[in-house]
Amino acid sequence: MAAPMRRALGALAHRGAAAGVGATHAGDIATSLALRNARAWSVAARASGARNVIADVGSLQASRSTTIPRRVDPIAGAGHAAWRAYAASTAKASTAAPSSAALATAARRAFSSAATAASVPPVATRPLVNGGPAAERALGWWLAGGCAWVYSMVVLGGVTRLTRSGLSMTDWKFVEKPPLTAEDWDAEFAKYKESPEYKKTNTWMTVDDFKFIYWMEWGHRQWGRALGGYFVLPLAYFAAKGWVTRSLATRLATFFGLGAAQGAIGWWMVKSGLVEDEDNPTNAPRVSPYRLATHLTGAFTIYVAMLWTTLDVWFPTPPVIRHAAEYAGAVLNRNTPGASQVLGAARHARAVAHPLAALVGVTALSGAYVAGMDAGRAYNTFPLMDGKWIPDEYWFMWERRGWRNFFENTAAVQFDHRVLALTTLAAVTYVWGAHRFNGRLPAAARALLDASMLATLAQVGLGISALLNHVPVSLGSLHQANALNLFTAVVGLMHVLRRPRAGGLPAPAFSEARRVATTAAKTAPKPGVKVKVKVKRK
């Protein structure tokens, strides 16, 4: 593999020099890239089994229209970018010296045929999935189904909380059979009567009333257990087929561990509501807001991690890289942004997308404390709270509890959530206005910016509506579900703009290719100047 590539680039350099075309930075870097990465190219070739994939790459017109396929060997992509930049600069020199055009064309054709014979395949070097596109699609859809399942778990958990059903089951068993006979229901209802919630708030309940809240909590628990079966059984099949790589297996094992821990955290949370509040023994019992926030944070973490992995399987090459590669060898002009401009736009958007995601996460976490404190059922006006911008009760618990005032004081919890929500709206609006109309960003990034803006507007509207209506189950559930919608859009945006990582484009090679694409087209080699090019041969 290395020898044919050396011969191809050696012929390119010698014929370019004979034509009076100087050895540009692009040619030097293209040669060094090939020599340095010939072994990696060879490994990729054996892995893919693809041949004859670079046809007539030397044609300048073809280089303008050539796009890199979705599964691209990043190192080969860097070499392609360097070659296209070299072709552009050669064409520029040929324009200045028409007599050298024929030899320059011959040089490009020589490189094309030799590269074709060398069989350099555009494939991913470290895919998460073995087995080709069919395996990718199967695992991708399976993971997407898991994301949808976790999404439904979060929504169902919110409905369970809003209907005050979470404390109906006063114990936890690995296998929980539902009561089916009248005697079974009487036994379960007798357990519930011993709980603080029944004694403080639900003494009016009958067995029929109890059945509703019991089925809600039982269904939430069983839906989580069923998710474990959905996860393990197909995974065993995929592993037996040899489709799961070690990297993907590590991620999946982490997801499974987090899911198991999530069940334990859920019961730990419920237990906190089965005892009386020592500080306020007359209050209606509720679960600890700290434990509820932990439970919700765990669910969001699992969802985001599974979503990111799903996108990694479906889109192993960052769209921004493919978008930049389309222009890597094109001549810079007013209408065609260069690769450096595309990458610069992505870098600037990424710099604000990550803090934006953190802000969205903190705002969602503050919403967990609002839910845990039932703070949405107080101060049901907007934008003022009890007729004031900052309620008098904001520092009510500061002297007694210090920093806990911000997590256990209803006024402080709701006010902080309002401020964070409006700050998120302002931040998303700024990011959308600053980057949405930048044509150098990939189309997927611009679409996700639109989705983030729409989800944020809907979230603020749902939050205000739920507050003014004392948090009905319908609006409260939609508000929680849409928080995940916003998270999905922002995480998707981060994924589109992500920086190449291990298994992606190597940073040194990519930096060189980017430098080639931006400088070679601007550098017009002086025609008629012969440059000696030394090519090492084995």
Side-chain angles (χ1 to χ4, degrees), residues 290-322:
Y290 300 104
R291 300 187 187 186
L292 189 150
T294 303
H295 192 48
L296 185 63
T297 300
F300 272 58
T301 300
I302 294 172
Y303 176 78
V304 170
M306 287 189 67
L307 176 63
W308 190 273
T309 300
T310 303
L311 295 174
D312 275 348
V313 170
W314 274 344
F315 309 105
T317 302
V320 68
I321 300 301
R322 299 198 306 273

Side-chain angles (χ1 to χ4, degrees), residues 376-377 380 460-472 474-477 479:
R377 292 185 167 92
N380 300 106
V460 172
L462 287 169
I464 294 173
S465 299
L467 177 69
L468 297 179
N469 290 279
H470 298 263
V471 196
S474 58
L475 289 175
S477 301
H479 188 55

Side-chain angles (χ1 to χ4, degrees), residues 114-131:
T116 301
S119 302
V120 183
V123 297
T125 54
R126 293 184 184 177
L128 281 177
V129 177
N130 295 323

